[in-house]
Amino acid sequence: MNKKLFIAGNWKSNKTLSESKVWMDQFHSDLGSITVVLCVPFTVLPYFHDTLAVSQSRLQLGAQNVSPFAGGAYTGEINASQIKEFAPWVLIGHSERRKNFGEADAVLQQKVDRAREAGLQIIYCVQDDKSVVPKGVHVVAYEPVWAIGTGKADSPENANAVLTTIKKTTGVPIGIYGGSITHENVKSFVAMDAIDGVLPGGASLDPGKFQALISAAL
Ligand code: PGA
């Protein structure tokens, strides 16, 4: 396969610092030429940043959210410049943020603007090919809500059709699929023309399963 693959693991609100250390000790994957981004909780970004620098791993880091505001009087928020010290990537627009935190297009646009100002690269999640995709995002992830964490992935053919439309209408060059991706089904997705990679959630939590998923995609 000659296309450059992109895999982004999304840990969501999982793992303490000590659990993260165990994961990192056990993760010894050959990433081949795949770009692999691990989107971890804010609390463990400094640990991963320092550990990956020492090990010279090609694994890249991402945050899962960013404040729509720059720094200042926004209690509890983590802004884009604070993320940039540790991670080059950020996930924006995940359906769990839209559903549980009421994030809609206007605030997501603000988040994209702040992330771009700080020089973060953006993985922007949408749930269908009608969703608004702000300008300047680097990767678009198609994640149908019904496929997330359910064990019922979309069909590779439908995901390919949706990503073909999204990539054509937005001009975003990298399109990935997320929703119940495992080491068993990853190959059938990345074999599709318009699918440049995947966004596993549950399957990134176990280092062995994540390694198997990367190997299966290679
Ligand atoms: P899942 O999650 O792989 O556990 O279905 C995907 C995601 O929400 O990013």
Side-chain angles (χ1 to χ4, degrees), residues 10 12 91 94-96 143 147-151 178-181 199-203:
N10 176 15
K12 312 191 180 189
L91 270 184
H94 194 282
S95 64
E96 289 156 10
E143 297 209 305
I148 296 177
T150 59
S180 298
I181 281 290
L199 204 168

Side-chain angles (χ1 to χ4, degrees), residues 11-23:
W11 276 11
K12 312 191 180 189
S13 186
N14 289 294
K15 295 201 191 289
T16 60
L17 175 58
S18 47
E19 289 165 346
S20 300
K21 289 180 178 174
V22 171
W23 189 98

Side-chain angles (χ1 to χ4, degrees), residues 4 10 49 51 77 84 91 123 136 145 151-152 161 187 191 200-201:
K4 182 108 176 64
N10 176 15
H49 172 269
T51 306
E77 287 295 273
K84 188 71 190 341
L91 270 184
I123 303 166
V145 179
K152 289 188 178 33
K187 193 76 186 178

